[in-house]
Amino acid sequence: MRIAVGGVLHETSTFISTPTTLQDFENGFGIYRGPEIFQRFRGANMCIGGFLDGAEKHGFEAVPLLWGFAYPSGLIERAAYDSLKQEFLERLQRAGAVDGVLLDLHGAMVVEGIEDGDGDFIASVRREVGDKPIVVAQDLHGNHTPLRVAAADAIVGYDTYPHVDMGERGREAADIIVGALRGELRPKMALRQLPMFWGTRCQVTAHPPMDEVLRRVHELEQRPGMISVTIATGFPWADVPDVGVSVIAVADGDETLARAAADELGDWVWEHRERWHTPPMSVREALAAGEQAGRYPILLADQTDNTGGGAPGDSTEVLRTFLEMGLRDALILYMVDLESIALAQAAGVGAKISLRLGGKSDPRQGPPVECEAEVIALTDGKFAYDGPMYAGLTGNMGPSALLQVDGVLVVAVTKREQPLDPAFARTLGVDCAKLRYIGLKSSAHFRSGFEKLAGSIYNVDAAGILVHDFSQLPYRRRRRPLFPLER
C-alpha cells in the first residue's frame, strides 16, 4: 500500500496589503521535498508527522511529495501558488502508482484569482488520482466550501484551540484512508455552513463555552456509523463568499447519516449563536481586572496583532500602556522590528540606544514608541520548542534582541511567529514565570505553553489590523446576512 503525503498550508488574511510570495514560503516554516519531509517531521506534533506515524502503525509506504508552509499573511501571489501546486502534482505523477493521498492543508488559503485555494488544491489532486481516496487534515479555522467537500473523501479538522492535537488528527486521517483502502470504511461526507462569525475568546477548547461544543462533537462521533465530525469556527479576516462557521460530518457509507449529524450540530450551534461572542476588552480594563484578581503573571493576549493570523507583529498600544503605567517586571513577546534589531546588534550587549520601537508596518498598528533602551541580549534566533504545539521541532525567529525600556522587557524578532511557549524567551535569559505582566501577540495558541504558568489571562482589543469588531472590516465578497453583523 503506497500513500502519497504532503500539502501546502497558508492562513490568508485578505485585509493585509502585503502579498505572500514564494520566498515567504521558503522563509516561513519552509518548503520540504521528498525525503526531507521524513527528516523534518517524523515524530513531530503536526498533521504531516501524524501521517508518518500512521504509516508506521499500518505498515503502508508513505510517499513524500512536497510540504510548504508560509506564516499567515496577505493574499498569495498566483505565480507562487501555481509553482507550488505544479511541483506537488509533478512529484505525484513521478511517484508512480499510489493507492491514495493524505493532504495536510489549512482551510483558509486564498490566492490571487482563487477564493478557495484549498478547494482548488484538493480538486487538482483529484484530477490526477481519479477515484483513489483523498483524506485531508485541516485547521479548526477553515472556511469550508462545497468544492473541497466534493473533491475529498474525508476532511478531518482539529479538535483543539490551541492546536495541540495536530499529530493526532494526522493519525486519524491515516486511519481513515487505510480503512477505506482495506474496504472497512466507505467515507461519505456532508457540509453544513452557518452564516456567522465566532468570537476568538469563545474558541478555547479547554474552557467554556467551547468545551461544551467539543463534547457534542465527540458524542456524535460515537454514534453507530459515524467516522468523524468537525466543527470549524472559520477565519473571519478572509473576504471570501464562504467565510464563516461550518460543520463537516463523515459517515460510513451513508451520506444521509452524515447530513443528519452535520445538521444536528449546526442547528444547535446556530440556536446558541449569542454564546459564541463576548464584548471587547481594552488593555487598561484587562490590567485592572488582573490587578483586582491578584494572580500573577497577568497575561494579555494582543489578539488584534496576532502574527498567527497574519498581523505584522509590531503594534505598540500594549507596550505604550505598560510604559505609561510605569509597570515593572513586564515583558512583550514578540515585537517584529528589524530596524531596532540592527541598531542593537551594532551597539552590542550592554549598550543604551535610542529607538523608535515598533509601529513601522501600518498606521493601524499605532505609532512607534520613542524610547531609550538597553540591549540585554542578542541571539541568532534558533531554539527548540517546549511543546505541546510543535513538540519535537526546532524553530528560528531570526536575528533577535532582548531590550529593556524602563521596567519593560521587549523581545524584538525578525520572523513573524506568535509565542507558543516560553522556550525562545528562555534562550535570552528570561524566566517568564517570574514576571508580573506579559503581553503576547497571539489570540490563543500561546496558551499551549503559557497557561500553566499564568496567574490570569485576558484577550485585549488593542489598536491593530486584525480587529475583532468585524463591522470595521471592509468586506466586499462575504455573504449577507452574517451574524452578528446582521441579525
Side-chain angles (χ1 to χ4, degrees):
M1 193 183 302
R2 303 180 77 240
I3 300 175
V5 300
V8 174
L9 296 89
H10 191 253
E11 187 176 55
T12 309
S13 174
T14 61
F15 300 109
I16 303 291
S17 58
T18 306
T20 300
T21 67
L22 189 60
Q23 195 65 44
D24 290 319
F25 280 89
E26 294 281 6
N27 294 340
F29 218 96
I31 300 174
Y32 298 88
R33 298 168 168 90
E36 293 175 345
I37 293 174
F38 293 147
Q39 297 162 11
R40 179 61 164 148
F41 298 110
R42 195 182 298 279
N45 183 23
M46 299 184 74
C47 291
I48 188 73
F51 296 165
L52 303 182
D53 292 342
E56 292 185 11
K57 173 184 175 181
H58 294 291
F60 66 78
E61 179 187 353
V63 182
L65 303 179
L66 175 143
W67 187 96
F69 181 111
Y71 295 125
S73 47
L75 199 66
I76 302 174
E77 289 184 346
R78 182 62 177 267
Y81 172 75
D82 286 347
S83 175
L84 290 169
K85 185 178 76 170
Q86 185 61 34
E87 182 178 352
F88 184 96
L89 295 175
E90 288 174 353
R91 287 178 174 274
L92 178 59
Q93 293 162 1
R94 295 199 302 268
V98 297
D99 299 294
V101 182
L102 284 167
L103 290 178
D104 184 7
L105 303 174
H106 182 277
M109 178 165 62
V110 187
V111 182
E112 287 178 332
I114 305 175
E115 292 176 320
D116 179 14
D118 299 89
D120 177 81
F121 197 93
I122 300 168
S124 298
V125 174
R126 171 60 68 200
R127 287 191 288 272
E128 289 294 329
V129 301
D131 61 359
K132 294 174 182 176
I134 300 173
V135 178
V136 186
Q138 296 208 303
D139 195 285
L140 178 78
H141 297 111
N143 293 318
H144 292 304
T145 70
L147 172 61
R148 64 185 70 167
V149 169
D153 290 87
I155 293 174
V156 177
Y158 305 168
D159 280 349
T160 61
Y161 187 44
H163 303 326
V164 297
D165 68 329
M166 293 181 287
E168 186 178 353
R169 297 286 73 76
R171 292 188 288 274
E172 181 182 1
D175 290 344
I176 292 171
I177 201 168
V178 168
L181 287 169
R182 290 175 176 167
E184 300 164 355
L185 296 174
R186 293 184 301 124
K188 298 294 181 180
M189 191 159 41
L191 169 69
R192 170 70 180 275
Q193 294 176 307
L194 297 170
M196 58 179 283
F197 288 132
W198 198 306
T200 300
R201 292 186 185 91
C202 301
Q203 294 182 30
V204 179
T205 48
H207 301 288
M210 193 67 182
D211 58 345
E212 182 180 351
V213 180
L214 267 295
R215 282 196 298 272
R216 288 179 175 268
V217 166
H218 296 150
E219 287 169 3
L220 283 169
E221 289 180 324
Q222 296 305 310
R223 293 182 184 177
M226 293 303 300
I227 296 174
S228 174
V229 176
T230 291
I231 179 76
T233 55
F235 184 69
W237 298 280
D239 187 12
V240 294
D242 292 288
V243 66
V245 175
S246 57
V247 179
I248 294 176
V250 186
D252 186 6
D254 190 342
E255 188 172 344
T256 301
L257 179 62
R259 168 59 54 200
D263 285 342
E264 179 180 337
L265 182 59
D267 288 344
W268 180 82
V269 168
W270 180 252
E271 179 184 352
H272 296 277
R273 56 192 177 277
E274 297 283 355
R275 294 181 62 193
W276 320 131
H277 295 270
T278 56
M281 176 175 277
S282 72
V283 179
R284 289 181 182 268
E285 287 172 339
L287 287 169
E291 297 287 8
Q292 184 175 6
R295 296 191 298 270
Y296 301 91
I298 299 170
L299 271 57
L300 302 189
D302 187 2
Q303 60 184 13
T304 52
D305 196 28
N306 172 24
T307 50
D314 68 344
S315 71
T316 54
E317 183 178 343
V318 175
L319 171 60
R320 190 179 303 279
T321 304
F322 281 8
L323 293 172
E324 289 172 354
M325 296 180 66
L327 301 185
R328 316 295 297 180
D329 297 322
L331 172 68
I332 300 292
L333 295 176
Y334 308 114
M335 182 71 76
V336 178
D337 191 334
L338 279 64
E339 178 184 301
S340 293
I341 293 168
L343 292 171
Q345 288 177 321
V349 173
K352 294 185 178 180
I353 54 178
S354 297
L355 294 178
R356 299 174 65 254
L357 192 53
K360 299 181 177 70
S361 66
D362 189 291
R364 292 172 288 179
Q365 296 285 96
V369 174
E370 307 276 352
C371 61
E372 295 293 317
E374 181 180 354
V375 182
I376 304 298
L378 297 167
T379 175
D380 62 3
K382 296 178 181 177
F383 70 107
Y385 291 97
D386 283 345
M389 279 193 70
Y390 293 168
L393 291 175
T394 56
N396 188 348
M397 300 303 298
S400 303
L402 177 64
L403 308 169
Q404 177 138 14
V405 184
D406 294 335
V408 183
L409 294 169
V410 179
V411 176
V413 299
T414 297
K415 296 287 185 71
R416 287 186 310 102
E417 183 177 338
Q418 61 185 311
L420 303 180
D421 57 48
F424 182 62
R426 194 169 55 247
T427 67
L428 289 159
V430 178
D431 185 347
C432 293
K434 292 183 178 179
L435 297 167
R436 290 177 66 84
Y437 311 95
I438 304 176
L440 306 105
K441 295 184 182 297
S442 177
S443 293
H445 284 329
F446 72 93
R447 288 176 178 265
S448 66
F450 285 91
E451 191 159 18
K452 60 182 178 289
L453 63 82
S456 53
I457 298 175
Y458 304 91
N459 281 57
V460 297
D461 295 86
I465 288 179
L466 297 185
V467 296
H468 287 244
D469 177 358
F470 304 125
S471 66
Q472 297 183 37
L473 294 172
Y475 292 101
R476 295 183 176 87
R477 299 286 296 150
R478 71 168 176 87
R479 74 190 90 175
R480 287 174 169 79
L482 203 156
F483 178 84
L485 300 185
E486 295 89 24
R487 292 174 181 265

